[in-house]
């Protein structure tokens, strides 16, 4: 059966099935094009409910669960560390584990203006051009929530949010009394009967909307798409300006695939690695890498995690993901980001995990026995925090060429990158924390991290799009400069990282890219026939 | 979010499916089948001897019981039989791995073949039957597997080597299944149950009445609470894993009680 798929001439091959790959493939299949998804991880049983467990270290056990099998190798501020990052490798990619936050960015995230100058001079495609795709993505992902009261844009297309519990209402009210403007966050959960709000977990039904439930599965239902899992793409072979063969390995067997268009959607840590690995005489630096920018401009967000105690306890006090505010998104002519509830209470497990993460990147990380000691502050924290809600402020990261994804020549399955905290980021971080602290006056709260915490689940920027082929990897349509049938549909294309989760933007852009590809192919047809 | 009427609860899925009891013609297997049927389940009994399965059938009636003759030590037979059960009666949602042999033999009187034959029943049977039901259970995400176990591995008795080894290995299998499945399929509930020393052919003549024990076993087999996964019940009461000294001291310092063992509510007191 795999052989048949390998022999076929596809309209489109999509590499990676996360938020970007799933969405672009669905759209193309719905337009009647034949689509082949190649996914490196397994298509696990639909009833699975695991979370992304960073404490599970065995590569086989990780593979089976749809986690990236190997630890990340990061050089952060010149120091090497290894840790298991929140990266999925299975049908749906990382998105099956996400917390379903689908927030829009703001106009100044894309557009340059005199009031709010853009750090890159603005995206090649502006907010107004993205708007219809945001709306389409919001419908496709059944996004519910309330409009941001501070927004001056046309309201997003949102389904009614879940009704707030008394505890959530009280917390909203007391934030309002502090002059903040909280709203019910935008989430892609359909709340089907029996919904367990699988935030951070694989949802056993098509209720949480992710790259699998809103992408691959509806694509397969059209009958126009096929999926090959456990298929690791190793090389994109080009002849002149076209990708002619996608070389892959599945369970030890080499395979080759052909398509008119190849869409790379392996994620911002993996898509550039595949291009860097695709070297040949014609392209010694890798595919689409004449200017050497592939893998550069890696961005994450900084997570400013804090515990917030409601002013008074409510009987139905449950972990909430519902509350978001953007009062500090842009202030004093600076870019910060959104503040949102993480949907967890301060429980022992979460805090141990959090502290272990800090430990693994600390100077003490080689003294393994010390790691167990994180349990004690965690226990103390639980007693202290009680029913605190955990919030996180997402701080925008800005692009620097020195922050980059690297190809590990010894082991191409390793996610390797180097990243330095720039002084301006640390400065904005201090300001952001101060703003949050000030705005929470009267509420008991405590920041949980001392060091800056990168959000390794939000990588982006490593194949940025732009108008000028000298300073970007992709053109405004997310097609690779110099490779006419290669498109990118994951977060790699983003020249800046915004102050919100990238998920909705990845989905919206994937829809935009799909339209472009379909137009290309349908225009081509007269020529080909 | 609240459960609504249109959602079938895991409990309902369990009860709408089929219960399979291995070793249903003899010992504890017979009253276990009777009790599961009494609690409303359709039971398919597996065993090696048709006559004894017939006898179990005569106690229950065809509307709630059927049987298949199979040797659980033969994996290919087991797979075929379970495929047949699913086709004929519907998905198996409850599996009670009860079949076991207990040859009383000095190790010097065993041969490697005779020893491994016991392993093939007591461990291999559990492996094969569990494997056979997990195909469907991992599709729905819901199921209940109860392994009838013993503490024979803790201090093996003389003339019990094959039994102690194979039953001990079966307990390790339960823990391995928990390691492989519990985070992915929290609603496939897998646990061990030690029925106690019974007055059966395998047990002792002044042991517990198997009927009473079977009531507990049936209740436990239909108790579908994800937190039971990995638990051990002895007769009608949970046996908690030993707590380390450090943990017990910590409990004292924090003035909190350790966890309390659960017991089978409706079961009569022993």
């Amino acid at each position: 059966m795999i052989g048949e798929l390998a022999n076929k001439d596809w309209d489109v091959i999509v590499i990676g099935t996360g938020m970007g790959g799933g969405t672009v493939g669905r759209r193309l299949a719905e337009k009647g094009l034949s689509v082949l998804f190649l996914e490196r991880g397994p298509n696990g049983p639909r009833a699975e409910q695991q979370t992304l467990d960073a404490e599970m270290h065995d590569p086989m056990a990780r593979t089976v669960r749809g986690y990236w099998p190997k630890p990340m190798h990061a050089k952060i501020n010149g120091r090497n560390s290894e840790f298991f990052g929140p990266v999925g490798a299975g049908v749906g990619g990382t998105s099956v584990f996400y917390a379903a936050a689908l927030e829009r960015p703001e106009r100044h995230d894309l557009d340059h203006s005199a009031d709010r100058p853009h750090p890159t001079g603005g995206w090649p495609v502006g907010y107004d051009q993205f708007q219809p795709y945001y709306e389409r993505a919001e419908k496709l992902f059944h996004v519910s929530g309330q409009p941001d009261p501070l927004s001056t844009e046309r309201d997003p297309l949102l389904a009614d949010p879940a009704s707030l519990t008394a505890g959530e209402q009280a917390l909203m009210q007391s934030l309002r009394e502090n002059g903040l403007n909280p709203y019910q966050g935008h989430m892609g959960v359909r709340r089907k009967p029996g919904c367990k709000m699988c935030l951070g977990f694989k949802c056993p039904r098509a209720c949480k909307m992710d790259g699998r439930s809103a992408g691959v599965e509806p694509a397969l239902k059209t009958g126009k798409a096929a999926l090959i899992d456990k298929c690791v793409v190793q090389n994109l072979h080009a002849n002149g300006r076209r990708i002619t063969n996608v070389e892959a390995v599945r369970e030890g067997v080499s395979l080759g695939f052909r398509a008119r268009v190849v869409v790379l959607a392996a994620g911002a840590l993996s898509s550039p690695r595949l291009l860097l690995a695709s070297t040949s005489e014609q392209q010694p630096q890798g595919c689409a890498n004449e200017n050497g920018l592939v893998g550069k401009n890696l961005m994450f967000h900084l997570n400013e995690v804090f515990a917030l105690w409601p002013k008074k306890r409510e009987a139905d006090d449950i972990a909430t993901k519902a509350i978001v505010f953007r009062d500090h998104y842009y202030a004093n002519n600076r870019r910060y980001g959104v503040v949102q509830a993480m949907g967890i209470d301060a429980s022992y497990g979460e805090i141990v995990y959090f502290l272990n993460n800090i430990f693994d990147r600390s100077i003490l990380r080689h003294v393994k026995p010390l790691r167990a000691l994180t349990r004690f502050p965690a226990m103390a924290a639980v007693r202290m925090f009680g029913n605190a809600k955990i919030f996180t402020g997402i701080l925008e990261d800005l692009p620097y060429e020195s922050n980059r994804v690297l190809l590990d020549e010894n082991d191409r399955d390793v996610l390797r990158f180097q990243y330095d905290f720039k002084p301006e980021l640390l400065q904005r971080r201090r300001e952001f924390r101060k703003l949050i602290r000030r705005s929470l006056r009267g509420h008991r709260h405590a920041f949980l991290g001392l060091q800056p915490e990168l959000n390794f689940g939000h990588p982006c920027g490593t194949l940025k799009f732009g108008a000028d082929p000298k300073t970007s990897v992709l053109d405004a349509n997310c097609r690779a400069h110099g490779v006419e049938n290669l498109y990118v549909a994951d977060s790699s294309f983003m020249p800046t990282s915004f102050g919100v989760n990238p998920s909705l933007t990845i989905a919206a852009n994937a829809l935009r890219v799909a339209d472009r590809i379909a137009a290309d192919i349908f225009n081509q047809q007269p020529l080909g026939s | 979010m609240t459960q609504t009427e249109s959602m079938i609860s895991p409990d309902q899925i369990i009860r709408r499916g089929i219960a399979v009891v291995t070793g249903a013609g003899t010992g504890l297997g017979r009253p276990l089948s009777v009790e599961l049927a009494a609690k409303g389940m359709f039971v398919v009994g597996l065993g090696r001897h048709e006559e004894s399965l017939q006898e179990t059938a005569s106690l229950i009636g065809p509307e709630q019981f059927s049987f298949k003759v199979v040797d659980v030590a033969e994996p290919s037979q087991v797979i075929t039989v379970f495929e047949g059960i699913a086709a004929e009666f519907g998905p198996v949602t409850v599996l009670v791995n009860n079949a076991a042999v207990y040859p009383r033999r000095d190790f010097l009187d065993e041969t490697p073949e005779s020893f491994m034959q016991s392993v093939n029943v007591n461990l291999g049977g559990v492996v094969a039957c569990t494997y056979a039901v997990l195909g469907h259970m991992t599709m729905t995400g819901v199921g209940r597997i109860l392994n009838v176990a013993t503490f024979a591995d803790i201090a093996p008795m003389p003339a019990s080597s094959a039994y102690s080894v194979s039953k001990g290995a079966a307990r390790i299998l339960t823990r391995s299944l928990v390691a492989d499945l519990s985070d992915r399929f929290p609603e496939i509930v897998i646990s061990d149950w030690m029925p106690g020393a019974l007055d059966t052919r395998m047990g002792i003549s002044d042991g517990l009445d198997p009927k009473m024990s079977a009531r507990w076993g049936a209740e436990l087999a239909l108790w579908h609470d994800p937190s039971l996964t990995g638990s051990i019940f002895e007769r009608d009461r949970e046996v908690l894993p030993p707590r380390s000294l450090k943990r017990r001291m910590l409990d004292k310092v924090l003035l909190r009680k350790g966890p309390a063992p659960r017991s089978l509510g409706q079961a009569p007191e022993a």
Side-chain angles (χ1 to χ4, degrees):
Chain A
M1 183 222 155
I2 302 282
E4 269 169 52
L5 299 177
N7 282 327
K8 191 171 159 173
D9 282 302
W10 295 90
D11 288 325
V12 184
I13 287 173
V14 179
I15 301 167
T17 60
M19 207 60 176
T23 307
V24 76
R26 171 183 181 174
R27 187 81 185 141
L28 290 167
E30 285 174 350
K31 283 173 180 283
L33 296 170
S34 64
V35 174
L36 176 64
F37 292 104
L38 301 179
E39 167 53 51
R40 75 163 289 146
N43 188 15
R46 197 61 182 83
E48 283 184 333
Q49 297 182 37
Q50 66 268 29
T51 185
L52 239 175
D53 181 359
E55 299 298 307
M56 184 154 293
H57 290 186
D58 179 74
M60 181 52 68
R62 292 183 61 83
T63 300
V64 165
R65 284 165 178 74
Y67 312 159
W68 193 272
K70 294 187 178 172
M72 289 179 164
H73 288 223
K75 191 174 195 174
I76 297 172
N77 276 3
R79 207 159 71 199
N80 287 312
S81 59
E82 275 184 38
F83 53 92
F84 288 102
V87 178
V91 175
T94 306
S95 75
V96 294
F97 299 109
Y98 85 143
L102 291 168
E103 294 280 338
R104 277 200 202 188
E106 304 205 350
R107 182 170 288 273
H108 68 261
D109 282 319
L110 289 80
D111 296 354
H112 175 81
S113 67
D115 292 6
R116 298 188 173 190
H118 193 275
T120 69
W123 280 31
V125 179
Y127 189 90
D128 290 327
Q129 288 163 282
F130 260 97
Q131 167 117 336
Y133 291 103
Y134 279 118
E135 289 180 351
R136 202 177 279 170
E138 279 156 355
K139 275 186 84 171
L140 210 61
F141 283 77
H142 298 265
V143 179
S144 61
Q146 290 172 331
D148 170 17
L150 293 174
S151 174
T152 53
E153 305 294 342
R154 198 160 83 208
D155 278 351
L157 295 182
L158 302 172
D160 289 336
S163 48
L164 290 176
T165 64
E168 289 166 335
Q169 274 171 20
L171 188 52
M172 285 268 225
Q173 189 48 42
S174 75
L175 291 174
R176 276 194 204 103
E177 284 161 13
N178 273 35
L180 293 166
N181 292 277
Y183 63 95
Q184 281 187 262
H186 301 179
M187 296 179 68
V189 181
R190 294 168 80 176
R191 305 198 306 277
K192 287 179 148 192
C195 172
K196 286 189 262 200
M197 291 302 268
C198 302
L199 308 183
F201 291 81
K202 269 186 134 172
C203 174
R205 295 174 302 143
C207 175
K208 182 171 88 174
M209 292 286 97
D210 51 40
R212 178 175 58 155
S213 58
V216 176
E217 287 171 349
L220 295 177
K221 263 196 204 124
T222 64
K224 296 293 292 180
L227 164 72
I228 304 182
D229 69 348
K230 303 176 198 168
C231 183
V232 184
V233 175
Q234 301 201 306
N235 211 321
L236 303 177
H237 294 282
N239 186 358
R241 293 167 59 85
R242 293 186 67 80
I243 306 287
T244 50
N245 184 36
V246 174
E247 181 193 333
V249 172
R250 185 177 197 273
E251 297 182 324
V253 179
S254 292
L255 297 163
F257 302 96
R258 295 182 308 274
R260 303 165 81 162
V261 170
V262 174
V263 181
L264 190 49
L269 296 176
S270 289
S271 289
R273 289 184 314 113
L274 178 57
L275 294 180
L276 291 171
S278 300
T279 53
S280 68
E281 266 175 41
Q282 284 179 349
Q283 40 187 35
Q285 296 200 80
C287 185
N289 194 27
E290 274 177 39
N291 58 17
L293 281 175
V294 166
K296 292 182 180 169
N297 296 304
L298 171 65
M299 291 168 277
F300 297 105
H301 287 131
L302 284 193
N303 275 350
E304 300 303 328
V305 181
F306 61 92
L308 176 67
W309 284 264
K311 275 189 179 162
K312 62 175 199 234
R313 294 185 179 197
E314 294 288 336
D316 64 343
D317 223 6
I318 52 158
T320 178
K321 175 83 191 171
I323 301 175
V324 178
F325 58 88
R326 295 195 182 206
D327 298 80
H328 312 314
Y329 199 95
Y330 190 96
N332 314 322
N333 297 321
R334 301 270 222 175
R335 287 159 197 270
Y336 303 110
V338 74
V339 176
Q340 63 195 29
M342 282 176 75
I344 49 177
D345 272 342
S347 78
Y348 172 73
E350 264 83 33
I351 295 171
V352 169
Y353 173 75
F354 188 81
L355 294 176
N356 279 347
N357 267 345
I358 293 175
F359 180 85
D360 289 344
R361 290 191 295 281
S362 76
I363 202 158
L364 297 172
R365 67 196 177 282
H366 298 300
V367 195
K368 291 277 183 207
L370 285 181
R371 198 169 187 267
L373 297 181
T374 59
R375 289 152 200 255
F376 295 102
M379 274 184 292
V382 170
R383 293 194 72 75
M384 225 167 74
F385 292 158
N387 62 340
K389 305 295 167 206
I390 304 293
F391 277 71
T392 180
I394 291 182
L395 180 64
E396 175 163 9
D397 193 4
L398 294 173
Y400 297 95
E401 287 193 11
S402 58
N403 291 340
R404 61 190 295 200
V405 168
L406 299 164
L407 181 66
D408 191 317
E409 286 297 346
N410 300 319
D411 185 346
R412 292 194 167 184
D413 289 342
V414 164
L415 301 175
R416 184 181 282 281
F417 59 86
Q418 62 184 39
Y419 184 96
D420 296 321
F421 293 107
K422 304 293 177 187
E424 70 72 23
L425 177 67
L426 299 176
Q427 175 61 30
R428 274 190 298 124
R429 173 175 183 253
R430 281 190 291 274
E431 294 162 5
F432 188 40
R433 286 163 74 100
K434 198 187 253 176
L435 283 170
I436 294 172
R437 213 174 275 134
R438 237 186 243 156
S439 67
L440 294 176
R441 240 174 233 160
H443 292 79
R444 213 143 56 94
H445 64 274
F447 279 92
L448 296 179
L450 300 173
Q451 296 302 312
E453 284 299 310
L454 289 169
N455 185 336
F456 298 108
H458 291 183
C460 68
T462 51
L463 301 171
K464 70 170 184 164
F465 80 155
D468 182 354
K470 291 199 195 69
T471 57
S472 56
V473 181
L474 312 171
D475 69 14
N477 293 321
C478 288
R479 179 161 71 170
H481 293 303
V483 189
E484 61 190 29
N485 66 339
L486 176 64
Y487 286 81
V488 172
D490 57 32
S491 63
S492 310
F493 87 101
M494 297 171 70
T496 50
S497 68
F498 302 169
V500 284
N501 301 40
S503 313
L504 184 72
T505 297
I506 299 169
N509 185 57
L511 294 172
R512 194 179 68 90
V513 171
D515 275 3
R516 192 60 253 162
I517 292 170
D520 269 9
I521 288 182
F522 291 127
N523 287 342
Q524 265 174 23
Q525 239 152 12
L527 292 173
S529 56
Chain B
M1 297 302 106
T2 51
Q3 296 254 328
T4 68
E5 49 294 338
S6 55
M7 169 74 185
I8 307 170
S9 72
D11 239 20
Q12 285 170 306
I13 295 176
I14 292 284
R15 285 176 175 273
R16 285 178 193 181
I18 304 298
V20 168
V21 178
T22 67
T26 50
L28 182 60
R30 179 173 294 159
L32 264 175
S33 303
V34 171
E35 290 300 329
L36 280 168
K39 287 178 185 295
M41 292 300 290
F42 186 90
V43 180
V44 178
L46 306 187
R48 274 179 299 167
H49 306 294
E50 181 161 357
E51 314 78 69
S52 51
L53 289 165
Q54 283 285 12
E55 216 169 301
T56 304
S58 69
L59 296 173
I60 302 172
E63 63 290 335
Q64 281 207 278
F65 186 83
S66 182
F67 64 82
K68 299 280 176 194
V69 178
V70 61
D71 183 353
V72 294
E74 296 293 335
S76 58
Q77 273 188 36
V78 170
I79 299 298
T80 311
V81 157
F82 273 92
E83 281 167 3
I85 293 171
E88 194 175 341
F89 305 107
V92 177
T93 53
V94 178
L95 170 66
V96 183
N97 281 308
N98 165 70
V101 290
Y102 189 173
R104 303 303 317 275
R105 239 181 250 137
D106 183 75
F107 187 75
L108 298 179
D109 295 330
E110 293 272 14
T111 62
E113 289 76 18
S114 69
F115 187 100
M116 289 314 291
Q117 183 49 34
S118 304
V119 174
N120 288 342
V121 176
N122 295 354
L123 174 64
V126 182
V127 169
C129 295
T130 303
Y131 179 84
V133 298
L134 278 176
H136 187 267
M137 286 180 183
T138 53
M139 267 168 59
T140 60
V142 177
R144 178 76 174 100
I145 298 174
L146 184 65
N147 293 330
V148 179
T150 125
F151 290 119
D153 57 326
I154 293 176
M157 304 261 287
S160 305
S161 59
Y163 180 75
S164 307
V165 167
S166 55
K167 292 296 281 185
R171 287 184 63 193
I172 299 173
L173 175 66
T174 303
R175 304 205 300 273
S176 294
L177 289 169
V178 171
D180 270 340
L181 302 177
S182 65
D183 60 324
R184 296 151 70 201
F185 307 101
E187 283 157 308
I188 299 178
V189 178
I190 306 174
S191 68
D192 279 350
W193 174 52
M194 323 296 193
L198 301 179
D199 182 8
T200 64
R201 213 172 59 198
M202 205 186 289
I204 50 174
S205 56
D206 58 350
L208 275 173
D209 176 3
K211 274 185 203 144
M212 164 131 75
S213 192
R215 244 170 271 153
W216 297 327
E219 188 187 336
L220 193 52
L222 294 179
W223 189 3
H224 181 262
D225 179 339
S227 70
L228 286 174
T229 288
S231 69
I232 297 169
F233 271 67
E234 187 180 16
R235 296 158 62 160
D236 62 340
R237 215 173 148 74
E238 186 175 11
V239 181
L240 292 169
R243 278 165 83 71
S244 68
L245 179 65
K246 205 166 73 185
R247 207 153 267 285
R248 277 179 286 149
M249 278 168 59
L250 200 69
D251 288 345
K252 287 255 188 287
V253 171
L254 297 177
L255 300 174
R256 64 181 181 200
K257 286 184 185 157
R262 291 168 281 191
S263 46
L264 295 166
Q266 292 117 29
E269 288 300 313

